[in-house]
Amino acid sequence: MTRIRICGAGIIGLACAEELLLRGHDVEVVDPAPGSGASYAAAGMLSPSGELWHGEADLFRLGRASADLWPAYAARLGVALAQSGTLLAGADAGDVQEIDRQLGLLAEAGVAVEALTRRELVAREPGLGRVTGGAWLPDDHSVDPRSVVASLLARVPVVPVASGARVDLTVLATGAHLPAPYAALVRPVRGEILRLRAHAPDQAPATTVRGLVHGEPVYVVPRSGSDEIVIGATSDEHDTPPVPTVEGTFRLLEAARALLPGLDRAELVEVTARDRPGTPDNLPLVGPTGEDGVLLAAGHYRHGVLLAPITAQALADHVETGAVDPALDPRRFVTEGSAA
Ligand code: GLY
């Protein structure tokens, strides 16, 4: 049994803690405001295909592997997994060209995805507005991150300040704001996100829609089994506090209501902004730092919810065997405890 202190009770810190507790370790999680960071804002898309980007083959591999873990993980935590797939939709010809590029990347990664005409898109999602074409991603699903965090918090005790007890290992899982000397390994990437309440079925899409509207990316996630709809998200590199802005809210609403005009009658209930923890290569930092007894589980950028189960396994495996996936190894950026 290893004595471990985890700093940070977002979805990553909690998932790691739960896995370590299940494996019989002695775990203390410290956070004065559990679940209030990026996990609180996240839409919960489990979307390795929709988020695939150039040069991110390792991220795609990890995302697919973690997506495969989610059905059993959600069942174990008692949270609903919406397995209804994702529509990609482009408003104009330029947007469809971008979607075609995405399909090309997926084909290179060995995933065959069929492009859809406007007519085929509307057959799948009758509430779509002016769209020109798109595609169907059958394996990109979603989960409610707030339910996941609530379920993890019911399994993992969290204290506001460290007890002072001696531990063998400390895991830093504080998202976009790591302590020294690791602070420079993550950069804050602000995301603004909206939550709506649908008052009639025609106000919400049946499935997640990821759109490009005249170049503006937007996603609309209907929450399975509830009237919640999430619209996200802006993405801004910044060094000011993450507050919701008029401009960000306007951009999201403008794109979302062009894509799905039925949203106009839904109730706007929440506007949230949080920092995503971006790393230099957009891959997380999971494992040893080079500093004795200090591990990282951080830097999950746009993928914290998707990668939570695989991160928990990777971190716990490292604690027990010393194994580390080179793609996740924090030492690719740090040497002997100092940020490179
Ligand atoms: N994973 C979606 C986002 O970060 O906006």
Side-chain angles (χ1 to χ4, degrees), residues 152-172:
L152 287 167
L153 282 171
R155 290 163 167 76
V156 177
V158 179
V159 293
V161 289
S163 66
R166 284 174 64 88
V167 292
D168 306 304
L169 293 172
T170 298
V171 181
L172 304 176

Side-chain angles (χ1 to χ4, degrees), residues 42-45 47 51 191 193 210 219 232-235 276 301-304:
M45 290 181 300
S47 189
E51 295 268 347
I193 195 156
R210 297 178 71 107
Y219 48 77
T234 58
S235 187
R276 302 178 184 86
Y301 188 36
R302 300 177 62 91
H303 315 286

Side-chain angles (χ1 to χ4, degrees), residues 157-280:
V158 179
V159 293
V161 289
S163 66
R166 284 174 64 88
V167 292
D168 306 304
L169 293 172
T170 298
V171 181
L172 304 176
T174 50
H177 302 282
L178 289 176
Y182 305 107
L185 296 181
V186 286
R187 66 185 199 287
V189 183
R190 179 169 52 208
E192 292 162 69
I193 195 156
L194 317 176
R195 281 175 161 77
L196 317 185
R197 183 173 300 126
H199 291 285
D202 65 348
Q203 293 171 8
T207 188
T208 296
V209 181
R210 297 178 71 107
L212 263 183
V213 181
H214 314 307
E216 185 73 31
V218 68
Y219 48 77
V220 181
V221 184
R223 190 65 69 215
S224 164
S226 95
D227 52 12
E228 183 177 90
I229 308 166
V230 183
I231 299 177
T234 58
S235 187
D236 297 298
E237 309 267 343
H238 74 109
D239 56 7
T240 56
V243 294
T245 63
V246 171
E247 192 235 349
T249 306
F250 175 78
R251 272 170 39 206
L252 289 172
L253 286 176
E254 189 179 40
R257 60 195 287 267
L259 204 59
L260 291 155
L263 293 172
D264 271 355
R265 294 183 304 283
E267 181 184 349
L268 178 59
V269 289
E270 188 185 305
V271 186
T272 308
R274 291 290 187 276
D275 287 331
R276 302 178 184 86
T279 62

Side-chain angles (χ1 to χ4, degrees), residues 281-302:
D281 59 6
N282 294 340
L283 276 159
L285 308 155
V286 183
T289 55
E291 183 182 355
D292 205 23
V294 180
L295 308 179
L296 289 178
H300 287 70
Y301 188 36
R302 300 177 62 91

